[in-house]
Amino acid sequence: MKDYTLIALAYNQEIRIYTSVSTNLVEKSRKLHKTLPTASAAMGRFLTASAMMSLMYKDGERLTLKIDGDGPIGQMTVEAKNGVVRSTILNPNVYLVYGEGPKMGKLNVGAAVGAGTLSVTKDWKENYFTSSSPLQTGEIGDDFTYYYATSEQTPSAVGLGVLVSRGKKVIQAGGFIIQVLPHASEKTLNQLESIISKINSVTDLLKSNHTPEDMINILSDNTGEILEKHEIKYHCGCSRKKYFDALSRLNKQALEDILHEDGQAEVVCQYCNKKYIYTSEDLTKMIASK
């Protein structure tokens, strides 16, 4: 089944709800970046939220989202547009679990991410707008909830979940974003708060094989009206030509140095780890074009 996001209005059009299943794109990210379980969960939550967020803009904005924490994962970056995402992660080799308490044995994403900032840059027709907010828990969902409230002035609730098997494979991933519209009543807010309080975690919903449709029914108390359905996916989009063009923009001296010292150039894409080799003939051609 393809990953997808639903967009709905609920509670007499007072609430907007986004729900997603993102298992395939998160698993693809895990394979490409070779992440260990806690890094997979952190990156998967980030990718899921970013895919949904990119569907909130209808004018073709490309988003670049960064989580820069002081935990062992370090910086994570996601580029997103119209539900298509790609990502980088500084340290994929993170496997932290809670050592005690009610969450003992579960993945400790908060500690893996640490304290820091969440920033979002919107690229609209080559005009760049960046806003940011401090990380609240490092659990990603809480951090996006705070970001929406402070940077977008949109009261929201964000729930994200990634279920990783003992064999490190991502077996379920998804989430939701609930946005309160300006005309929402106190009664609606109380009803919504009551429903959210009864949801233990998004991971539990995913374990029960709840679809995005099911999540909308639960979150909306069966008042949801689905407006849109969008496929979401992980797609890098790199190519040999793109990196050839990028190398060609180096100055003549830099290209000659590469040719004389190494005889070739190797470029590794940070989004998919694909390697591109440019031979001495390629480099000579770049130099001749200067």
Side-chain angles (χ1 to χ4, degrees), residues 18-286:
Y18 296 76
T19 59
S20 293
V21 59
S22 54
T23 307
N24 296 317
L25 74 84
V26 176
E27 171 64 3
K28 184 172 183 178
S29 171
R30 180 195 70 81
K31 288 180 177 179
L32 290 173
H33 296 293
K34 298 179 175 59
T35 48
L36 293 183
T38 311
S40 297
M43 190 76 256
R45 294 179 190 180
F46 193 20
L47 283 164
T48 303
S50 300
M52 288 189 283
M53 189 178 193
S54 72
L55 295 170
M56 297 175 184
Y57 305 98
K58 304 299 183 183
D59 294 326
E61 291 99 324
R62 177 179 296 278
L63 305 181
T64 300
L65 304 96
K66 291 184 180 180
I67 289 180
D68 198 353
D70 62 3
I73 284 178
Q75 187 180 91
M76 296 185 290
T77 303
V78 174
E79 290 188 1
K81 183 177 180 179
N82 297 330
V84 179
V85 294
R86 62 181 188 173
S87 65
T88 68
I89 183 169
L90 184 61
N91 180 15
N93 302 310
V94 180
Y95 190 0
L96 291 178
V97 298
Y98 288 94
E100 57 185 17
K103 294 184 178 181
M104 187 171 67
K106 293 185 177 181
L107 300 177
N108 192 343
V109 173
V113 173
T117 58
L118 164 63
S119 63
V120 179
T121 299
K122 300 169 188 174
D123 174 4
W124 186 70
K125 298 180 180 178
E126 297 188 354
N127 292 307
Y128 298 92
F129 307 91
T130 300
S131 53
S132 62
S133 64
L135 298 174
Q136 297 303 291
T137 64
E139 294 283 346
I140 315 298
D142 297 334
D143 306 312
F144 269 93
T145 297
Y146 187 77
Y147 171 84
Y148 280 117
T150 58
S151 296
E152 303 271 343
Q153 287 76 51
T154 304
S156 305
V158 182
L160 304 164
V162 176
L163 187 61
V164 183
S165 73
R166 292 184 178 179
K168 302 177 184 177
K169 180 181 178 181
V170 175
I171 54 178
Q172 294 278 9
F176 63 78
I177 298 176
I178 300 170
Q179 295 186 324
V180 178
L181 300 180
H183 58 283
S185 67
E186 194 67 30
K187 178 182 177 182
T188 293
L189 296 179
N190 290 336
Q191 186 178 357
L192 183 59
E193 184 177 347
S194 175
I195 289 172
I196 293 174
S197 68
K198 295 174 184 175
I199 298 173
N200 188 36
S201 69
V202 173
T203 304
D204 286 342
L205 294 177
L206 297 172
K207 283 180 181 177
S208 301
N209 295 314
H210 284 302
T211 64
E213 288 84 354
D214 295 330
M215 285 191 274
I216 284 177
N217 289 335
I218 292 168
L219 295 167
S220 72
D221 198 19
N222 294 307
T223 66
E225 175 191 357
I226 296 173
L227 304 178
E228 300 175 32
K229 179 178 180 179
H230 298 270
E231 181 184 356
I232 57 175
K233 63 182 179 180
Y234 191 110
H235 176 67
C236 176
C238 71
S239 67
R240 191 176 192 281
K241 183 181 184 305
K242 284 185 179 180
Y243 283 115
F244 183 96
D245 293 342
L247 273 175
S248 297
R249 287 194 287 270
L250 294 176
N251 63 49
K252 185 176 182 180
Q253 185 61 55
L255 290 169
E256 288 177 342
D257 289 345
I258 295 172
L259 178 61
H260 294 148
E261 292 175 13
D262 302 314
Q264 65 177 27
E266 178 182 288
V267 177
V268 180
C269 177
Q270 62 180 334
Y271 297 103
C272 68
N273 285 318
K274 187 173 182 179
K275 291 182 181 180
Y276 295 93
I277 302 295
Y278 298 92
T279 64
S280 58
E281 290 181 356
D282 293 322
L283 293 169
T284 302
K285 186 183 298 184
M286 295 176 198

